[in-house]
Amino acid sequence: MKFSSQGKQLSIDAFRSSLSGLSKSNRWVQLGDTLPWSDIERLYNVRLNNGKRGAGNKPARMIIGALLIKHKMNLSDKETILAIQENPYMQYFVGLSEFTDKPIFDPSLFVTIRKRLGNNDFNDMSVSLLKIQVEKSRTAAQEKKNDKDDSPTGSGSEICTDPVFTDSQGRLHQGSLKIDATCADAEVRYPTDIDLLHDGCKVINRYIAKLCKRFSLSAPVTYYKAARSAYLEVIKLKKRSKKAIRTGKSLLLTYLIRDLRSFINLIAVHGTQLLESLNRHERRVVTAIIKMYYQQLQMFKDGTHTCADRIVSIFQSHVRPIVRGKSKFPTEFGAKIGASIVNGYTFLDHHSWDAYNESSDLALQVELYRQRFGFLPVRIYADKIYMNKENRRLMKELEIQSMGKPLGRPPKKSKTEEYQLRMTKAVGERNEIEATFGTGKRIYRANNIRAKLPETATCWTGMCYFVKNVMKFLRELLYALCFILELMANPCNYRRIIIPMQGFAC
């Protein structure tokens, strides 16, 4: 007897169904069910200005959910929309009730979202996650305490909690604060003077040709071909001597100023409507080229390689070189961020495109800690650069313990073993923020900020660390739930269970 398959091709219309039957063990379903969407909706709606007029907005769950998917999976804007379009679990996560093969929104909306949100919004969302984790941790601790009271034997491990005390001024202290600074690298080509001058000649020549074609004008004489020839003569050399580089820079500076004069003369003769016809990005690039030219000219005359507010990319004129002194990359190009960690959650407290001394962040971060949680930290873990006289004086006034070496020469007598152990433990505790920077850059690509505008790049950086906080929230929440379920199933085995969370009152 001959058997044949009874299967038939399933149409997409027959496949559509409710998403309520999805597996609850999937990570996107778990996140969708546990994140505080009501708090996120409230924080997101504050940024909108359509309360009385304007079009309705997309739900915050859809917007923030799409951003979380994008940065968790390291996808582009278009690939994020396609991934959601193809994955029912992701569609459940962003709040859809049934599967659809249509895009949830146009990928260009991501740019508007990044302009709308900032680091403060992501910090507030992280505080909401921390509060939920605390409540779950407190519930688990109470279950353990009740079980311990009922158990006739044993003294199981207690949850590690920070000391709580009230200082002489009546201020409440609880928890610890770990602070440090790093650089969020922008996606720019490594800048050299020759490349910058060549880019300036190329772009300004392109804009001249564009304006002449649009307004049917006779094209002026330009010098891009000569600039290109001088540029190639330098970069094709295997060993570029200082004399060859200086000669190439001299020629490129000459050709660039000639083309800039032609561009300015074109606008002066035919009216400012030529300049107004350029879009905002093109006008910003023209301004950056002019500023870059004068910077390069001054450095060429002085024989130096540094200047104030040096432009390293004419397309991202806000990016500045940040000297970090690292062995592999002594200079990085991007924004400098001051971050703090509370119970494993990362908060970006300071974001600056200009280099600054991070020791000035300590007072700001202590104040932000007080505003978020309602009390001051018991102790601060920070690098050596933070422990200057001014910051130590501030911590002494606020009665905050400084977990660092004291100033001055080390004493002649050797330190006690207890002191050595305390300092070793302090160094180990502070390493958490170094590990956080490594995780943010290696996994969530916080060292490759691909947004081109300063405000969108700020949002991109904050989102990288917010996704890390969300993943920690899911992990810790599952630990607490598993702990409670284990206690309910085996109440006599509480000594074998260790809760990886610290109690923290918010």
Side-chain angles (χ1 to χ4, degrees), residues 384-396:
K384 198 177 193 179
I385 192 171
Y386 289 90
M387 298 302 170
N388 54 29
K389 291 183 178 180
E390 182 179 354
N391 287 339
R392 287 179 183 271
R393 189 181 303 112
L394 173 66
M395 287 187 285
K396 185 176 180 181

Side-chain angles (χ1 to χ4, degrees), residues 62 89 93 103 174 232 262 284 331 367 409 488 491 497:
M62 181 178 293
Y89 293 101
F93 175 64
Q174 184 179 351
L232 292 176
S262 298
R284 189 184 295 115
T331 304
E367 177 61 23
R409 293 181 180 179
M488 293 172 63
I497 304 170

Side-chain angles (χ1 to χ4, degrees), residues 149-168:
D149 293 339
D150 297 337
S151 178
T153 59
S155 57
S157 300
E158 297 294 333
I159 299 175
C160 178
T161 58
D162 291 315
V164 182
F165 73 93
T166 303
D167 60 21
S168 59

Side-chain angles (χ1 to χ4, degrees), residues 478-491 497:
L478 291 177
Y479 284 154
L481 293 176
C482 291
F483 175 79
I484 296 173
L485 292 175
E486 181 70 18
L487 280 179
M488 293 172 63
N490 301 302
I497 304 170

Side-chain angles (χ1 to χ4, degrees), residues 226-237:
R228 177 69 178 176
S229 178
Y231 171 73
L232 292 176
E233 286 183 4
V234 176
I235 66 168
K236 285 185 176 181
L237 295 175

Side-chain angles (χ1 to χ4, degrees), residues 14 35 50 69 73 85 108 157-158 190 216 222 258 267 282 338 387 444 465:
L35 284 179
N50 60 351
I69 293 172
M73 308 302 293
Q85 189 175 342
S108 61
S157 300
E158 297 294 333
Y190 189 87
S216 302
T222 57
R258 290 179 181 178
I267 295 173
E282 291 171 337
M387 298 302 170
Y444 302 106
Y465 289 97

